[in-house]
Amino acid sequence: MATTPLGEDNYPDPLVSSSRGGAGLWRVAALAVALIGAAAGFALLGDRMPSELVILFVGLLAVAGVFFLFGLAAGLFRFASTDERRTIARALVDTVNRGIVVADRDGKIAYANAQYGSFPGALNNGVPVSIARLFSGQADAGEAIYRLTRAAKDGRSAIEDIRIVGGLGGSQTETLRAFWYRASVRPLPETDDTSKPMVAWTVEDITRDRERNETAFLDLQRAIDYLDHSPAGFFSADDQGRIQYLNSTLADWLGYDLAEFNAGQLSLGDVVRGDGATLLMRGRGDGEIRTEIIDIDLVRRNGTALPVRLLHRAARLADGELGETRTLVLDRSSAPETEEELRAAEVRFSRFFNDTPFAIATLDAAGRIVRTNAPFGRIFRWSGEEKSLEMQPIQELIGEASREKLSRALSDAQAQRSEVEPVDALLSVEGDHAVRLYISASEVSAGSPEQVNVYALDMTEQRKLEAQFAQSQKMQAVGQLAGGVAHDFNNLLTAIIGFSDLLLLKHKPGDPSFNELMQIKQNANRAAGLTRQLLAFSRRQTLRPQVLELPLIVDDLTVLLKRMIGEKNQLSVEHGRNIWPVRADVVQLEQVIINLVVNARDAMPDGGSITLRTSNITEDEARSLRFEGMAAADYVLIDVEDTGTGMSPEVMAKIFEPFFTTKELGKGTGLGLSTVYGIVKQTEGFIYPVSTVGVGTTFKIFLPRYVPTAEEAAAKVAAAAAPAKDLTGHERILLVEDEESVRAFSARALRATGYEVFEADSGEEALFVLEDLDYKVDLIISDVVMPEMDGPTMLKAIRPKMTNLKIIFVSGYAEESVRRDIEDDQSVDFLPKPYSLDQINTKVKEVLQRLDKSDA
């Protein structure tokens, strides 16, 4: 171990490490030679040189020496040492548990880590050898090493697994054991400290991994072998008597090679003597499914008879046709006769009985448990501390709602009915633990009380998944309905907002009707905000962050929130002074506030008060709060406080998990708070619950303060000072809209600004109008969703005849969802509904000006 002044150092120093230090040493040596030469020159020629020059040279050397001494003391210069090269990158390579060698393509080693030296033969007189030489004495590695060496010379990556009996250097104790090594080579990029292309070699002992894989494979093969070589034969035949499967045991008894067997190759007539095939094919005439015991002779391949007992099961399908058969074959010629053989068979069955993944129990005539397997107690949540399961009525283990159905199933089984309907039940223990019970009659034997078999599957997780899937389906249906309703409302709101704008052009602020018209427009805009929330809920709204004033957002929601929380709850709003702006999506932020207020309402079943607060949190205040994961910075805080039931720490730890809810079944989706958490995180904010059971809960949302850049501030000032835009024009426009009120408003708005407007109420009519106009229009404005022919289909029909066509699609859905339906989106612009008079005129002017510039 190397030591340092600080104590013992366990750093694994590399075996070889060439670096730029050698070049630096040559430079120092060259400088020393130059100085010695200069000194010799002054000594020989000093008498001939002016004394001022000598003094100047000595002074320069003195000044340089003093400068380097000060630089060394100040840390500007350092003496190279091994410690300086111990960077994180070097430490990662030096401590990796595989040998690493860096060499040029000819094999000259520039670096080798300490782990490489642990391989036998890696060092020759203390000097590391190349990986090719490391494996040179191993005949089994020759081809692999040749391929790796060729890859290194060609600058390619390659990897090989090499098997060596006895291992590198030869094992003294395990000479026949196979050792595995994984060797690889890859080219390295050029670096500052190399003058030629380098490659990195790695070598790793993977013997243990290989042995584990081989052990797992052998275990799997052994399990298959156990199944295939059970002490009983088995075969299955289809409705035509063709054998589809037989196990190895039966194949051996009959003298067939299982490797040559193909499904359908043999028939029952080939293996059953005489009329036995007809006996196996007939099934029961009454259609019942029962296992029949048949003593019969099978025919070996060599023609000899094999006496067997068949446990045969055949059934007829619903249409009366014979279905597939299942047959267990017991060899009567070598039946166990000794007690030891019988005991061994009993042990084998007992292991099988207790190792199954489902619960098994046998019941007596009264429905009491006689015997169970090992998984029964686990699946039925029976600890066994109070009393044993034996002789317990199975009805007591399940909930009361399913006990009557279970009693009928037990009666059917005791009556030897072939098909007993499974029973789905909840367990009587606390919690939502569900099981499915399969009931069948047991073979009655003298002296045994067992009359009914019960097989139970744990359905708890499946029930949870089914409930979550049903809830997600319901949410999807609600989302589709909300999206459709919002789309229709957007059409209505477009007309309301548009005609309000047209009336406002005729009624100035001094007009008596001006205030009423403004009220109509403002309420229509509020309704448009509600439709945006519906579209956001249905994932059809384009979400874009913008600079927001939180107090205004909260105040706009107050009326809606008061309606949502009901009359028995009170809502109060408190704003701090000079609240900083934040940058977020307004629809997402409204959804966060609405979800939290609704949760607060549900947490107060007897009524209470909800308080919304906004305030500024400085960086120092944020640092003192010490919420986990929140960095110290300026934030705007939104508090949603209620006086409800509060939450325990266990509930608080799970509230942001998807589908977690404390509400009753059917009253909560479990998605509200997970959605809130996702939105806050997308906004780069933080959310923390603070709750006390019986007192109430406060959700604290920290949103980063938005500080505009100098460029944004300048752009805002320039936009405010810019003169009003000229929105007039004279171009030809085709307006395609199936909603008459929207089309009427849009046509009037465009004609009022000077455009020549043609109208069509569908995509098909638009094609006729274009044909009458000889396809001479400058712009088409079209709705996306229309009956018969929609907007994208119309565009596809027009494009071959109007290659330079400009088109604006309008829709109440999001732009992203619209563009997914447009195969040819060149020269396509988008205007979302509802739009105002100014918005449609501005969009048309913008598109036409862009068209004029492209034509120029």
Side-chain angles (χ1 to χ4, degrees):
M1 290 285 184
T3 59
T4 66
L6 297 178
E8 188 177 5
D9 183 5
N10 293 325
Y11 189 90
D13 290 322
L15 304 175
V16 174
S17 179
S18 299
S19 66
R20 300 177 64 178
L25 183 62
W26 281 109
R27 294 191 186 99
V28 172
L31 179 61
V33 171
L35 292 175
I36 292 172
F42 277 108
L44 297 175
L45 304 176
D47 296 337
R48 303 177 186 177
M49 297 176 62
S51 58
E52 294 82 358
L53 182 61
V54 176
I55 294 173
L56 176 62
F57 178 74
V58 174
L60 288 174
L61 289 178
V63 170
V66 171
F67 171 74
F68 281 111
L69 286 175
F70 275 107
L72 185 63
L76 298 176
F77 307 105
R78 296 180 183 176
F79 292 109
S81 68
T82 57
D83 292 338
E84 287 183 348
R85 295 195 297 272
R86 294 180 183 179
T87 61
I88 294 178
R90 287 295 300 269
L92 178 65
V93 176
D94 289 337
T95 58
V96 74
N97 60 350
R98 68 186 65 179
I100 298 179
V101 175
V102 178
D104 60 20
R105 296 185 179 180
D106 295 328
K108 184 178 179 181
I109 297 177
Y111 167 83
N113 68 350
Q115 182 66 24
Y116 182 64
S118 64
F119 290 94
L123 299 177
N124 184 13
N125 295 327
V127 178
V129 300
S130 66
I131 290 183
R133 185 175 174 186
L134 175 66
F135 289 94
S136 61
Q138 308 295 335
D140 296 337
E143 293 184 5
I145 292 300
Y146 174 75
R147 289 191 293 267
L148 290 172
T149 305
R150 291 297 306 172
K153 289 184 176 296
D154 297 340
R156 295 181 288 104
S157 297
I159 185 171
E160 297 281 350
D161 287 351
I162 302 171
R163 180 179 182 273
I164 300 176
V165 177
L168 288 171
S171 173
Q172 299 296 324
T173 58
E174 299 173 297
T175 56
L176 299 179
R177 181 187 177 189
F179 288 80
W180 287 87
Y181 301 91
R182 178 164 293 162
S184 67
V185 64
R186 70 178 187 277
L188 295 178
E190 295 184 3
T191 61
D192 295 338
D193 55 354
T194 58
S195 59
K196 57 175 65 176
M198 307 296 285
V199 294
W201 292 81
T202 62
V203 60
E204 179 183 6
D205 188 342
I206 59 170
T207 304
R208 188 168 299 175
D209 293 339
R210 280 282 187 159
E211 289 177 344
R212 279 199 294 262
N213 292 340
E214 291 178 359
T215 300
F217 178 75
L218 291 175
D219 290 342
L220 179 61
Q221 289 292 101
R222 193 177 297 114
I224 295 174
D225 185 69
Y226 288 160
L227 294 174
D228 207 28
H229 295 84
S230 62
F234 177 83
F235 70 88
S236 174
D238 62 12
D239 57 350
Q240 301 297 321
R242 294 185 294 261
I243 296 178
Q244 302 298 311
Y245 172 80
L246 76 163
N247 69 347
S248 179
T249 300
L250 182 57
D252 290 341
W253 289 350
L254 298 178
Y256 290 98
D257 186 355
L258 191 61
E260 299 177 356
F261 172 77
N262 295 316
Q265 177 182 351
L266 295 175
S267 66
L268 290 177
D270 297 326
V271 298
V272 181
R273 180 178 294 277
D275 296 329
T278 305
L279 179 66
L280 297 179
M281 290 290 294
R282 70 186 183 187
R284 291 180 58 89
D286 55 7
E288 286 191 20
I289 302 175
R290 288 191 61 185
T291 299
E292 299 179 87
I293 301 176
I294 304 173
D295 292 320
I296 202 171
D297 285 353
L298 298 184
V299 181
R300 294 189 179 97
R301 190 173 189 178
N302 59 9
T304 59
L306 174 67
V308 295
R309 168 166 287 182
L310 304 182
L311 277 69
H312 179 67
R313 191 180 184 90
R316 293 193 177 274
L317 305 178
D319 57 0
E321 295 294 329
L322 183 69
E324 291 190 354
T325 62
R326 304 285 188 270
T327 307
L328 186 68
V329 184
L330 302 178
D331 185 359
R332 302 278 295 190
S333 64
S334 58
E337 298 178 354
T338 65
E339 183 177 350
E340 290 77 8
E341 290 175 326
L342 292 173
R343 177 61 180 167
E346 182 181 353
V347 170
R348 283 194 296 270
F349 173 77
S350 178
R351 293 180 62 187
F352 167 78
F353 181 68
N354 286 293
D355 288 343
T356 58
F358 48 87
I360 303 175
T362 57
L363 311 179
D364 61 10
R368 294 174 299 187
I369 297 173
V370 177
R371 183 167 53 151
T372 66
N373 68 342
F376 192 90
R378 171 179 56 82
I379 291 178
F380 279 81
R381 268 70 179 179
W382 187 273
S383 61
E385 296 176 356
E386 298 179 357
K387 54 184 177 179
S388 171
L389 273 170
E390 292 183 5
M391 304 310 295
Q392 289 293 317
I394 193 170
Q395 287 92 340
E396 295 181 1
L397 301 182
I398 65 173
E400 294 183 2
S402 303
R403 291 179 181 177
E404 183 178 350
K405 187 175 181 180
L406 177 61
S407 297
R408 291 197 301 268
L410 294 176
S411 300
D412 290 343
Q414 293 180 24
Q416 300 295 318
R417 296 189 181 275
S418 59
E419 293 186 5
V420 180
E421 185 179 356
V423 178
D424 290 325
L426 295 176
L427 300 185
S428 58
V429 296
E430 184 178 355
D432 296 331
H433 303 296
V435 294
R436 173 168 292 174
L437 305 176
Y438 294 89
I439 315 296
S440 64
S442 176
E443 294 295 332
V444 180
S445 59
S448 174
E450 299 175 353
Q451 294 193 15
V452 178
N453 298 326
V454 177
Y455 307 91
L457 297 179
D458 189 348
M459 304 293 289
T460 305
E461 292 301 322
Q462 182 173 338
R463 287 287 184 88
K464 291 180 180 178
L465 291 175
E466 289 174 352
Q468 292 176 5
F469 178 75
Q471 185 64 38
S472 65
Q473 292 290 96
K474 182 175 70 175
M475 295 298 293
Q476 182 180 0
V478 172
Q480 291 175 347
L481 175 62
V485 170
H487 176 264
D488 293 339
F489 265 104
N490 276 332
N491 279 331
L492 299 175
L493 293 173
T494 300
I496 295 173
I497 294 172
F499 283 113
S500 298
D501 286 337
L502 290 174
L503 288 173
L504 286 171
L505 292 177
K506 301 177 181 179
H507 297 77
K508 302 304 178 183
D511 193 292
S513 302
F514 181 80
N515 289 333
E516 287 81 356
L517 292 173
M518 286 299 298
Q519 284 292 329
I520 293 174
K521 182 175 180 179
Q522 289 173 0
N523 281 280
N525 286 328
R526 288 183 60 191
L530 293 177
T531 61
R532 284 197 302 271
Q533 292 180 18
L534 287 175
L535 288 171
F537 175 75
S538 62
R539 305 292 180 89
R540 296 185 179 184
Q541 173 65 32
T542 302
L543 303 177
R544 296 186 176 90
Q546 54 185 306
V547 180
L548 303 174
E549 301 291 341
L550 278 181
L552 299 179
I553 303 298
V554 174
D555 291 342
D556 287 343
L557 288 174
T558 302
V559 176
L560 174 64
L561 294 176
K562 286 183 178 179
R563 189 178 300 114
M564 295 177 68
I565 65 175
E567 296 180 356
K568 66 179 180 180
N569 297 307
Q570 295 181 348
L571 176 68
S572 59
V573 179
E574 302 173 5
H575 296 305
R577 298 181 58 187
N578 302 321
I579 300 298
W580 297 321
V582 297
R583 192 170 188 272
D585 183 273
V586 62
V587 177
Q588 285 185 325
L589 191 56
E590 289 174 347
Q591 183 178 353
V592 167
I593 297 173
I594 290 172
N595 281 353
L596 292 179
V597 170
V598 169
N599 275 357
R601 176 202 66 189
D602 295 340
M604 301 184 299
D606 300 325
S609 62
I610 302 173
T611 304
L612 288 177
R613 298 188 187 91
T614 61
S615 58
N616 293 333
I617 301 295
T618 64
E619 183 176 347
D620 292 337
E621 291 173 335
R623 187 178 293 108
S624 64
L625 292 176
R626 299 186 181 279
F627 283 115
E628 183 179 357
M630 188 176 78
D634 290 340
Y635 296 97
V636 178
L637 171 63
I638 306 175
D639 283 327
V640 182
E641 180 181 358
D642 65 63
T643 57
T645 55
M647 295 182 292
S648 65
E650 293 77 16
V651 173
M652 289 175 62
K654 298 181 179 180
I655 56 173
F656 294 126
E657 296 179 3
F659 299 107
F660 175 80
T661 178
T662 57
K663 300 176 184 177
E664 298 178 11
L665 183 64
K667 293 188 177 180
T669 65
L671 295 174
L673 286 178
S674 63
T675 302
V676 167
Y677 182 84
I679 292 174
V680 172
K681 286 300 180 183
Q682 286 178 350
T683 316
E684 299 181 354
F686 302 90
I687 180 170
Y688 300 98
V690 179
S691 184
T692 303
V693 176
V695 177
T697 302
T698 301
F699 279 92
K700 294 182 173 292
I701 303 172
F702 296 87
L703 300 179
R705 174 187 180 183
Y706 173 74
V707 180
T709 62
E711 293 80 3
E712 291 173 333
K716 186 175 181 180
V717 173
K725 294 182 179 180
D726 178 17
L727 300 180
T728 61
H730 59 278
E731 288 85 355
R732 278 185 160 193
I733 298 176
L734 173 59
L735 181 62
V736 188
E737 171 63 63
D738 63 315
E739 190 72 28
E740 183 177 357
S741 58
V742 177
R743 187 174 71 253
F745 150 66
S746 303
R748 288 186 58 184
L750 294 171
R751 289 191 180 108
T753 50
Y755 295 106
E756 184 179 2
V757 180
F758 301 90
E759 300 179 38
D761 62 2
S762 67
E764 291 184 343
E765 185 180 351
L767 297 180
F768 291 119
V769 173
L770 286 172
E771 188 174 355
D772 293 340
L773 297 174
D774 198 20
Y775 297 95
K776 292 181 179 180
V777 295
D778 300 295
L779 177 67
I780 294 179
I781 302 174
S782 173
D783 193 7
V784 175
V785 180
M786 294 183 292
E788 297 179 1
M789 179 182 287
D790 59 11
T793 305
M794 179 194 68
L795 174 61
K796 190 184 300 183
I798 297 173
R799 180 66 72 188
K801 298 179 181 180
M802 304 179 69
T803 56
N804 296 324
L805 170 68
K806 283 284 186 177
I807 188 168
I808 298 175
F809 276 131
V810 294
S811 176
Y813 292 132
E815 180 177 355
E816 285 81 358
S817 63
V818 171
R819 288 197 179 275
R820 282 196 297 267
D821 299 330
I822 304 173
E823 297 179 3
D824 174 19
D825 66 347
Q826 57 177 334
S827 305
V828 172
D829 284 89
F830 181 79
L831 179 62
K833 293 180 180 178
Y835 51 80
S836 64
L837 174 68
D838 181 67
Q839 287 172 332
I840 187 173
N841 284 328
T842 301
K843 189 67 176 181
V844 168
K845 190 69 175 181
E846 172 192 334
V847 173
L848 289 174
Q849 284 181 342
R850 192 165 64 244
L851 177 61
D852 294 338
K853 292 179 181 178
S854 62
D855 292 341

